[in-house]
Amino acid sequence: MVVWAQINWRKLERAVYKLQQRIYQASSRGDVKVVRKLQKTLLNSWSAKMLAIRQVRTEYQAQQLLIKLALEPEWEAKFESHSYGFRPGKTYMDPIMAIKEAMRYGSKYVISANLAQHFEQIDYEKLLSKINTFPKLRRQIRVGMKSGMYNLNSWLLNQEIIHPGSLLSPLLVNIALHGMEKIVREYGKTIPGKKEEITLIRHGSEFALLDSELDVIIKAKILIEKFLSDLGIQINLEQTLKGAKSPGFNFLDFNIRQYEIKTHSQPQRYQTFIQPSQEAIKTHYGELAQEIDKFKSCQSQLDLIKRLNPIITRWSNYYFPVNSAKTFQKLDHLMTLKLIAWVKARHNHKSTKQWVEKYFGSKDQANWVFRAFEESQPVYLTYHHGFLNAVKQCDIYTKTSTPNWYS
């Protein structure tokens, strides 16, 4: 009989870690026979099963996690260098910094697209064939696909919502789109005299294709469309073509744009400017305004601050590494105006001086800071501009280390 409180979880984690490490190493050297043997061992191991049960609530989730524990190290050894989304050891800023680096040395044409809504067309039998695993594991994945659990289209469009296939679906998306970068690079090698590589950067179902030559990027686009067509995904990417002098392109809710730097003595240079996309700004402010409107009735100022702070913190943390200063200042200004209107609606009979003193204070040399009191202690609203001092940390995202259990 197993006593749950007495289980040595560190010992089980080490056992699974060692198996995953061996799977990764065998996959790296192309030893399929050893990979399959180790995957079967992991799937049947008591340690892996216990860890899966510990991390999830239902049986089908535990099965998903077991499959992921076995498949992920095999595919991590294969995935391309510019594939970033839903992978251990990768952050959302990695593809953004990779795009910035690719655009650093000259004007680029860009084709960008998000394939999420097109995954409803994917041929799951072709995906199973691509996974190319042993029969037992293939049957388990096929059952999940037929039941709709691994509906990749549904998961990609509803990542904010708890989805039944959310544990394994991210890995399946990456496996489906694995190979896009390879076919583009191989095409680039066939072009006589071409010195720079064609760049394809992908985060999950979203990708950006960059090159300085228009005819090259159009031909690469055709190869990508053929690659997707082989998976059952029909898409025309032509309408998403952007140039350096255009309004730029959106990627992961960032807007990325190139500006020409005019110099008299130096060769033509370009600067890449990355900021929150207009769609992301509009959505975020809409969420803030909606929350403020909800509290117009009898709810307290303290409750409103506690409701707004995590929303502002989450959004600001996502965008602080890029050129967000003007955006943050604009949002803070709009939010302050909205809060002033909220206060006036509650106290239209009071003088301006009275409600200003009650609802606003000073903090860190800033005035008009929305604040309340809890047990005689001030509780301040979090403002976007408070994250600006962290912008200099942007460089920490330029390098990503390989997860320890793959080394």
Side-chain angles (χ1 to χ4, degrees):
M1 180 180 176
V2 177
V3 180
W4 190 265
Q6 295 178 0
I7 295 175
N8 187 339
W9 294 107
R10 296 280 294 181
K11 183 178 180 180
L12 302 190
E13 288 168 356
R14 284 196 299 271
V16 173
Y17 159 85
K18 289 179 180 179
L19 279 172
Q20 289 182 306
Q21 188 179 47
R22 290 171 65 191
I23 292 169
Y24 177 86
Q25 291 169 347
S27 181
S28 296
R29 63 178 183 264
D31 195 336
V32 178
K33 186 176 180 180
V34 172
V35 168
R36 298 291 175 258
K37 181 180 178 181
L38 291 170
Q39 285 175 330
K40 292 174 182 176
T41 302
L42 190 149
L43 287 170
N44 292 319
S45 76
W46 183 79
S47 297
K49 289 176 181 178
M50 291 300 293
L51 287 176
I53 293 169
R54 183 193 186 194
Q55 292 183 41
V56 298
R57 295 181 178 181
T58 64
E59 186 178 342
Y60 71 81
Q61 286 178 325
Q63 185 182 49
Q64 278 187 74
L65 189 54
L66 269 177
I67 295 172
K68 182 183 177 183
L69 289 172
L71 279 183
E72 190 171 59
E74 174 192 359
W75 282 92
E76 278 296 318
K78 299 176 182 179
F79 284 147
E80 294 151 322
S81 58
H82 285 318
S83 166
Y84 297 103
F86 319 123
R87 293 182 58 191
K90 306 291 184 183
T91 77
Y92 71 99
M93 281 303 300
D94 289 326
I96 300 301
M97 292 298 111
I99 290 172
K100 185 176 182 179
E101 181 67 21
M103 299 177 76
R104 186 176 173 186
Y105 299 106
S107 175
K108 299 286 185 180
Y109 289 99
V110 180
I111 289 178
S112 62
N114 191 336
L115 304 173
Q117 61 183 351
H118 300 281
F119 259 79
E120 63 184 4
Q121 307 171 27
I122 194 167
D123 187 327
Y124 284 98
E125 284 301 319
K126 289 183 178 179
L127 175 55
L128 270 172
S129 179
K130 190 171 184 178
I131 295 171
N132 190 30
T133 190
F134 54 93
K136 181 181 178 180
L137 196 53
R138 178 193 290 258
R139 284 194 300 271
Q140 290 178 356
I141 297 172
R142 180 184 276 118
V143 168
M145 289 175 172
K146 287 188 175 181
S147 69
M149 186 186 302
Y150 307 141
N151 185 323
L152 303 187
N153 171 251
S154 173
W155 175 77
L156 285 166
L157 296 175
N158 298 282
Q159 292 180 47
E160 300 285 331
I161 303 171
I162 296 176
H163 191 277
S166 58
L167 292 173
L168 189 59
S169 292
L171 178 59
L172 296 181
V173 168
N174 278 331
I175 293 173
L177 298 180
H178 173 69
M180 285 176 64
E181 184 180 350
K182 182 181 178 182
I183 62 168
V184 166
R185 288 196 171 188
E186 287 182 348
Y187 161 64
K189 292 176 183 178
T190 66
I191 303 172
K194 186 166 181 60
K195 296 180 180 179
E196 64 173 354
E197 287 186 334
I198 308 171
T199 305
L200 189 143
I201 293 163
R202 185 175 62 81
H203 184 282
S205 62
E206 195 166 354
F207 74 90
L209 178 68
L210 304 93
D211 197 78
S212 56
E213 299 177 50
L214 181 59
D215 59 335
V216 169
I217 206 168
I218 289 175
K219 289 176 182 175
K221 170 191 78 74
I222 295 171
L223 291 173
I224 291 174
E225 289 173 345
K226 173 65 169 58
F227 171 88
L228 295 172
S229 178
D230 291 342
L231 286 170
I233 300 173
Q234 306 296 327
I235 184 173
N236 184 353
L237 301 171
E238 196 162 12
Q239 73 276 9
T240 60
L241 187 64
K242 307 289 193 306
K245 295 182 180 180
S246 76
F249 66 100
N250 291 344
F251 193 87
L252 296 181
D253 289 329
F254 293 91
N255 179 260
I256 303 169
R257 186 174 181 180
Q258 231 177 13
Y259 292 91
E260 184 178 341
I261 302 174
K262 293 184 179 180
T263 58
H264 297 290
S265 57
Q266 296 179 342
Q268 192 177 36
R269 295 172 59 200
Y270 293 86
Q271 182 179 8
T272 303
F273 192 80
I274 305 172
Q275 60 186 345
S277 69
Q278 288 301 311
E279 293 84 351
I281 296 169
K282 184 177 179 181
T283 300
H284 177 57
Y285 178 71
E287 185 179 7
L288 294 175
Q290 186 179 37
E291 290 299 329
I292 294 171
D293 288 340
K294 283 181 184 177
F295 282 74
K296 272 186 177 178
S297 56
C298 60
Q299 284 90 344
S300 72
Q301 180 193 12
L302 181 62
D303 291 337
L304 176 58
I305 290 174
K306 289 182 176 180
R307 180 63 182 167
L308 292 177
N309 278 354
I311 298 173
I312 296 167
T313 299
R314 183 180 68 247
W315 201 86
S316 300
N317 274 329
Y318 188 83
Y319 288 105
F320 85 81
V322 298
N323 307 100
S324 301
K326 289 184 178 180
T327 299
F328 284 4
Q329 290 167 5
K330 178 182 177 182
L331 282 166
D332 286 341
H333 176 68
L334 291 173
M335 186 171 64
T336 298
L337 293 178
K338 185 74 176 176
L339 289 169
I340 289 172
W342 180 83
V343 172
K344 283 183 175 181
R346 292 164 67 96
H347 301 288
N348 56 7
H349 60 285
K350 290 186 178 180
S351 67
T352 300
K353 183 180 179 181
Q354 285 179 307
W355 60 254
V356 167
E357 289 177 350
K358 180 178 180 180
Y359 289 93
F360 294 90
S362 299
K363 182 187 179 187
D364 299 332
Q365 299 180 335
N367 299 319
W368 287 92
V369 179
F370 198 62
R371 57 100 178 91
F373 289 91
E374 185 174 33
E375 297 180 355
S376 302
Q377 295 298 316
V379 178
Y380 293 95
L381 178 68
T382 299
Y383 284 81
H384 302 82
H385 71 260
F387 292 81
L388 291 177
N389 61 351
V391 173
K392 293 180 181 179
Q393 299 178 23
C394 181
D395 290 343
I396 66 173
Y397 294 99
T398 58
K399 294 182 180 179
T400 303
S401 59
T402 304
N404 289 335
W405 57 277
Y406 290 145
S407 59

